[in-house]
Each structure stands twice: as structure tokens, then as C-alpha cells.
Amino acid sequence: MTRSVFPGSLLASDGPRILFVGGKGGVGKTTTASALALELARAGRRCLLVSTDPAHSLGDIFGVELTATPRKLRGGLHALELDPDRQVVRYLDQVRENMQGLVRPAMYHEIERQLELSRQAPGAVEAATMDRISQLMADTVRRPRGEGDWDVLVFDTAPTGHTLRLLSLPEIMAAWTDGLLRTRQRSDAWGRALERLSGGRAAEAPGEGDELSYIDQVEEGGGHQDARSRRIREVLLERRRKFTRARRLLLDPAVTAFIWVLIPEKLPILESEKAIRTLDEHRVPVAGMVVNRVLPRGDLGAFLESRRAQEEEYLARIRKHFSRIPRIQVPLLARDVEGMETLEQVGRILMGGERGSPPPG
Amino acid sequence: MTPSRDEIKRRLEHAMELLREFYEGRHRGALARSRRDEDDLFMLLVLSESMGIPNPASYYTLELLPLVMDRFHEWHLRMGMEHSPLDGFRCC
């Protein structure tokens, strides 16, 4: 088995540390992610399997209860289901904590109300999910293989739209923080010009009395520094750093592999075509495709033979449209994939060890 | 009696100081206003979602709230809003 090409590359000792498994709802993302994670654990990697879908089904496939804290499934394999609501609450607690000393106590109550309203705000759950994902990614790659908590992260993602938005979030957010930072820079530049002009004296705008009373000037390091302005800049820069880091990790093919799952049917193919285009636009590297639930060879009877004839057309379309993406086919199995045993079977098929028919052409 | 050399120097310096005040005074006002305009714009960007302008980053603006909120009252007055425009936020 050559390990430089998909899917063997996933198990290589210098393989990607972060795997995303995505696709339309119901095509077998959770199955694929779980089977891959089992194979990685079998190959000696300490692997954390993470479900990012708000409607989790990861615990169900293993028949265990999962929470936001990693739970051991077997040697080398842990799993968790993200809890964005808990994440939002933690974030708001942190905002509250930062409020101390910055805001007059009389205003605590008002800010508290604002925070409570924001809990339900659109985008909060998504942003919290992305925060947690990028934190996990950063924590994992910070340490070399074998030294940190996890060697490899496998993300079982939510259906297409949600995941694409999630992946584009760092880019959009970085642009947004840049915009805010520019506003701050201009404000600071005016402030500095003002200071130079006044030769270090506190500036006053003539005719409008305390126009500048809202700028807290503090003495620091010989010059006047607007402590608040500096703090705002720090908060923004820290945010920006996190977004940039997430984006850098997502886009690095040496770190991240995106695995796309689909089934040979019309709608999943159409959706995949659009999704792959979007991933390309965002320059997210797609490592390979899993064509799931392909009808097996052999005598299937007239009914299934007719389905297989139709399936052949779809498989041809997949070959044509995704010619540059490495693909693996996984046959439709006689029974549902559930529990370790069948997942291991799927894992072996994925890695080409068992009835893994490499796509013709 | 003609003024001493030092006296002339002192008077000249005083005149220059007055001229500088005159010149800089106008610019100081303009600079202060420019800075305030930027800060007002920043406030609007941070609060946009609460004011009904969709903001994809509203979740992340929350962490800036404590840093801008004590300017809020002056800000909405300057923006020509007599009362707090935020339902959840009453400052006056």
C-alpha cells in the first residue's frame, strides 16, 4: 500500500493532523469519520473524534452517551460532541469578567441585559462552534505528534451549508476585525497628531468645551497613551490572531485534509459539485472523496439491477466531475453500520484492505 | 530707552506663541473632531446588530461592549438620538 496517496496518506506518519469529514445530510459522514478514526487509532495514533453537528449522532453510532468532554471509546480513540450553548455561556462569562474595572458598576445591569439578549442572537452558536474547533486545532498542532493530548483530530461535521459557512467564517471575521482595526488606527493617528500639536498638553477642542473629556489620557512610558484605545486594539488583535491561525491551519494541506462523502444519487452529486466549488473558492484543500453505499457486484435481482443501471450513470458523472479528486468506493452493506465491529469493517474497506474497489478510470 | 536684547527676545517669543496658539487651535479642534468621528463610527460598527443592521460578527463585538459602553450615552446624544436606541440598554 502506498502511503503518499489518498487514502493511505491519511495513515502516513507525516499525514494530516486534522481531518474534516463533510457532505450532504444522510450520506454517511458520521460512519466515515468514525471508521477513519478507528483506523487511525489502530495504526497507533491517539485520535480525538469530534462531532460539530448541532444534531449529534456520533454517540448513537457507537451506542454511548457523549458530552463536550472527551470520552474514551477504546485505546487511542476518544470522542466528544461539541456543546455550543455551553461555549456561548462561557464566552459571556468571560466578557462579564473583563467588564470589572472597566465599566461603572451602575452599568453592569444594562450590559448584563445586552449580554442575555445576545445569547439568542443569530450566529452565536456558529461562532462558538468555530471558536471551539479552532481552539482544538491550535492545541493539537501546537505539540508534535506523540507529545500533546492528540495526534490527530477527526471532525464529523454538520451537513454541507453549515460546514461551508463555518469554514469561511475565519476569513470573513478576519476581514471584519481588519475593518475595525483600521478605524482604531485612524482614531489613534488623529490622537497622536493632536498630541504632537499640543506638545504633550491635554488637547481641548475650542468652542465645544469638554469635547475631548471622553478620552481618558493616562501617563505611560513618558508619553500619553489612551489606555482604553490600547485595550480595544489588544482585544481586536487577539481576535484577529485567532482567526488568522484557524484559517492558516484550515488551508494548509500538510495539516488539514478535507474528506468529502457522497452517495451515487442525483441530489448529493449536485450538492457536492456546488460544495467542492465553494471549497475551491475558499482554497480549502480536498484530500479525497468517499463514494458511499455503492450497490455491490453480483446477482441482485431485476429490481436492484435496474437501480444499478441508473447508479452506473451517476458513478460516471462522479468520475467525470471529480476526476482530479482521489476517490474511494464503499459498497452498500447488508446491514446498518453501527458499533465497533461494522465500523472496523468500513474502516478496512476505506483503507483498501477489504473489497475496497478503487474507482475505475 | 530702547528695550534690551533679552526683552526683544521675550516679546518675539510671546508673539510667536500667540501665533502658534492661533494656528494650532484651529487644527486641534479639527483633529479632535476627526478622532471623535472615527470613535463614533467604531461605536456604530460594534453596536450595529443591536441597532438592526445585520452584522456577521455581532458575537465577537460582545467582548468590546465593556470597552465602549461608558461612551454610549454621549454617543447616542451626538448621533441625534435623544434616548438610548437600544431596547436592552437604558442609560437615560
Side-chain angles (χ1 to χ4, degrees), chain A residues 88 91-92 95 99 102-103 107 110-111 113-114 117-118 124 127-128 131 173 176 180 183-184 186-188 190-191 193-194 197-198 201 203-204 206 208 211-212 214-216 226 228 231-232 235-236 239 243, chain B residues 17 21 23-29 31-39 41-42 45-46 49-50 55-72 74 78 86-91:
Chain A
V88 172
Y91 172 68
L92 294 184
V95 171
M99 189 160 79
L102 277 168
V103 179
M107 295 193 91
E110 298 302 335
I111 291 193
R113 286 162 60 104
Q114 199 64 25
L117 288 173
S118 311
D131 272 4
M173 292 300 117
W176 172 82
L180 284 187
T183 310
R184 296 313 302 166
R186 283 197 298 267
S187 166
D188 290 347
W190 291 122
L194 200 56
L197 202 55
S198 340
R201 278 171 292 157
E204 267 177 65
E208 287 176 62
E211 189 173 36
L212 278 182
Y214 73 103
I215 297 174
D216 291 334
D226 188 346
R228 183 176 306 273
R231 184 75 197 112
I232 290 177
V235 170
L236 283 172
R239 257 303 149 209
F243 291 137
Chain B
E17 182 65 23
E21 281 287 312
Y23 169 80
E24 287 184 350
R26 285 166 36 201
H27 290 274
R28 262 210 297 276
L31 288 174
R33 269 189 295 277
S34 297
R35 179 178 202 186
R36 196 196 55 196
D37 287 349
E38 288 296 343
D39 290 348
L41 172 63
F42 184 76
L45 292 172
V46 169
E49 184 77 39
S50 330
N55 175 0
S58 58
Y59 179 75
Y60 296 109
T61 59
L62 290 178
E63 59 194 13
L64 294 165
L65 273 188
L67 290 162
V68 297
M69 266 341 224
D70 58 339
R71 314 289 184 222
F72 180 70
E74 293 168 63
R78 263 204 308 282
L86 302 188
D87 287 340
F89 202 86
R90 295 162 310 188
C91 54

Side-chain angles (χ1 to χ4, degrees), chain A residues 79-117:
Chain A
L80 65 82
E81 289 175 346
L82 291 187
D83 182 352
D85 289 331
R86 201 176 86 170
Q87 194 72 16
V88 172
V89 170
R90 265 185 10 210
Y91 172 68
L92 294 184
D93 283 347
Q94 197 194 320
V95 171
R96 257 178 223 116
E97 209 171 287
N98 294 344
M99 189 160 79
Q100 319 290 327
L102 277 168
V103 179
R104 280 179 286 124
M107 295 193 91
Y108 284 2
H109 180 61
E110 298 302 335
I111 291 193
E112 190 64 39
R113 286 162 60 104
Q114 199 64 25
L115 290 182
E116 275 310 308
L117 288 173

